[in-house]
Amino acid sequence: MFARYYGNGDPTERMQYFIANPPPVISVDVETVSIAERIPLGFAIAFSADEAVYISVYPTAPEELAKLATLLCNSQVRKVAHNAIFDLGILPTIPHLAQLDRSNIWDTNVAARYLGREFTDLPYLAELELTDIKVTAARDMLKGKKSMLEIDAELLADKCQRDARACLMLYQRYLPPIEAQHKDNFAVDMKVMPILIDMSQRGLLIDQTARAALQQRYSREVDFYKQQVLGFGVENPASSQQVGYMLAKRGNFLPLTKSKKQLSTRVGELEFLDDPMAAAVLGYRHYSKFKNTYLDPLEGEDRFFTEYYLDTSVGRLNSRDRNIQNIPLDARYMILPDNGLFTSADYSQEHLYILMHFSQDRAMKQVYEEGLFSGDIHSYTAEQMFGSVTPDRRKLAKTINYAICYGATPKTISEQSKIRDRTVCSRLLDNWFRTFKGAADWIQTVQREGLRSGWAEPTLFGRRIKLPEESEDGQRRKAVNFPILGSDGEVIKRAIIRCSELQLGPPVLAITVHDSLHFDGDIEVPVEELEMIPGFKIPVQVTKTLHWE
DNA sequence: CGAAAGAGCCC
DNA sequence: GTACGGGCTCTTTCGT
């Protein structure tokens, strides 16, 4: 009756049993034509580590699917998947699965990250933690082939059911520690997932007129700077190797890159050079990067699609397969709302507020809680460090304030603030640590504790993130940074859920970028509620705009 | 052909 | 003398 059954019982009897007695947990794995072409070929359901079924839905789904579908649409049945955003995004396109339940899902990939696994691909984890189920990566299976359609159906079904069984085994292994240590945070992630799927699938309207105009302008600029660089005898301006060689030949000093394989030609180095060729290279780089990455790929596309996903190595939300979170500020206006305008809610200076909360630094609290310097921390910093506030000094103070959260060194300050003298930069950092004594103490403490235990201090919502095994300096920086980044991820996810619960309208959340939410339409944002999500107040700014900005 | 390296965009 | 945290994606270069 069912295409393929893997197990010891009688296939028909077993399936009828499961349909009549829905099990509390199943796992699912979906196979598609390819990773890019997400047309479903079939999917497997595992009922235990050694019992599974595979249903081929290509070219047509079998009659019997309707009965099995009841399990997937039943909210009492937990659906386990590895990278559930992928599988649960595709399943509803299969007949009888439009009403797929997404309220009771459990992602073993996300779980692995919570538990400190550095690499979380299913084949890797299976190899690491299982011995008897062999898992093949789709990527390896596709080697030398155009799509999964070229793979023998029997082989594909076998791979799929093995993946589902391995996934269920991982679930059994990961459930206890997740329940014990990460229950609430994990539940938040599982609640966010359906919202991310919807956001990923709805896409965003592109203003093609604006995009084309930008493209034309940038095309001219690229040509202009390209000609200039060619004039300096470089054959390919996009080759950093050639650029470095020629700049050195012209008498410029350039340091080596990290790998020491070639001369560094990063903007941080080139902008200090007094050579017209350096300026030409930077011009070329700027315009070609912008055009190649953000304009050309959108040519002829009605909508901008991305795939949001949960990366819990620190617990932030990311976007890939056309990352929307790093679109240049100058290009964002080509993204338009479907419903007239975007309503945006931004947490202001979130990292610094979190640093204040963790360190309970007196000066920071005076600014943020008592309104000193109108709550403007950068001005306050400039006043304390330099004795007065000028636009330049405020800007430098801002650079340092943020750099601190990332564990900055004098070299970084030097590059970001364009101060060449490293000893000056070094003194600036010392000065900052004197200004914010409490924050300095906190930084020292979390570094010491991190090195001792190998784990970062808890985030706002009590999650400890594993520090990777690396140099002591690297661990020090991460010990400071992880609790801050991890906390901002926790806050935005809870904000997303709260806004979705309030039923502000049809699905309206359009974009999210770490500390901001952008709703499609004129939306009433529960500002005060969002501000208190961290457990203390972080101000939220709401703006309404005709296009993204 | 794919992986690594270098670069640059975002928060 | 001193590695800036988390991401993604583009092009070039190099090795198998």
Side-chain angles (χ1 to χ4, degrees), chain A residues 504-544:
Chain A
L504 301 172
V508 284
L509 184 58
I511 308 167
T512 162
V513 192
H514 305 307
D515 58 4
S516 62
L517 299 173
H518 308 270
F519 300 93
D520 191 335
D522 192 354
I523 301 302
E524 186 88 28
V525 177
V527 178
E528 289 81 11
E529 206 177 331
L530 297 190
E531 289 180 331
M532 290 311 290
I533 283 177
F536 59 97
K537 182 178 167 179
I538 301 181
V540 168
Q541 301 288 336
V542 174
T543 50
K544 312 224 185 224

Side-chain angles (χ1 to χ4, degrees), chain A residues 284-296:
Chain A
Y284 171 78
R285 291 231 186 107
H286 171 76
Y287 289 104
S288 62
K289 174 76 181 183
F290 197 107
K291 180 173 172 293
N292 291 342
T293 310
Y294 306 106
L295 300 178
D296 293 350

Side-chain angles (χ1 to χ4, degrees), chain A residues 378-393:
Chain A
H378 306 314
S379 293
Y380 173 84
T381 308
E383 172 70 27
Q384 291 300 307
M385 288 180 63
F386 312 125
S388 72
V389 187
T390 66
D392 278 353
R393 287 176 168 184

Side-chain angles (χ1 to χ4, degrees), chain A residues 328-447:
Chain A
L329 300 172
D330 292 347
R332 290 191 174 181
Y333 72 88
M334 66 183 176
I335 302 293
L336 298 179
D338 289 312
N339 303 313
L341 39 88
F342 281 125
T343 303
S344 301
D346 294 60
Y347 282 96
S348 41
Q349 306 181 351
E350 190 172 7
H351 289 176
L352 292 168
Y353 270 89
I354 293 170
L355 177 58
M356 169 199 75
H357 178 76
F358 281 145
S359 68
Q360 291 294 307
D361 182 273
R362 265 195 67 227
M364 293 183 99
K365 288 182 85 154
Q366 280 182 343
V367 175
Y368 280 151
E369 291 179 355
E370 292 162 35
L372 200 63
F373 272 79
S374 312
D376 181 355
I377 192 97
H378 306 314
S379 293
Y380 173 84
T381 308
E383 172 70 27
Q384 291 300 307
M385 288 180 63
F386 312 125
S388 72
V389 187
T390 66
D392 278 353
R393 287 176 168 184
R394 185 181 180 280
K395 198 177 165 210
L396 177 56
K398 184 178 175 180
T399 300
I400 300 171
N401 282 339
Y402 278 105
I404 291 288
C405 300
Y406 306 145
T409 58
K411 184 173 162 41
T412 320
I413 305 290
S414 166
E415 280 170 14
Q416 287 224 350
S417 60
K418 302 183 174 61
I419 296 172
R420 292 187 79 162
D421 190 336
R422 298 279 161 81
T423 53
V424 169
C425 295
S426 187
R427 281 200 212 101
L428 284 174
L429 282 179
D430 291 342
N431 196 340
W432 191 95
F433 285 118
R434 281 198 302 276
T435 305
F436 299 105
K437 189 72 176 55
D441 288 346
W442 179 80
I443 287 169
Q444 200 178 30
T445 306
V446 300
Q447 286 184 340

Side-chain angles (χ1 to χ4, degrees), chain A residues 27-56:
Chain A
S27 69
V28 286
D29 184 58
V30 182
E31 300 299 333
T32 60
V33 168
S34 70
I35 297 163
E37 282 286 309
R38 295 182 176 185
I39 298 159
L41 296 180
F43 66 95
I45 297 177
F47 300 93
S48 74
D50 38 40
E51 187 167 25
V53 63
Y54 176 83
I55 300 101
S56 171

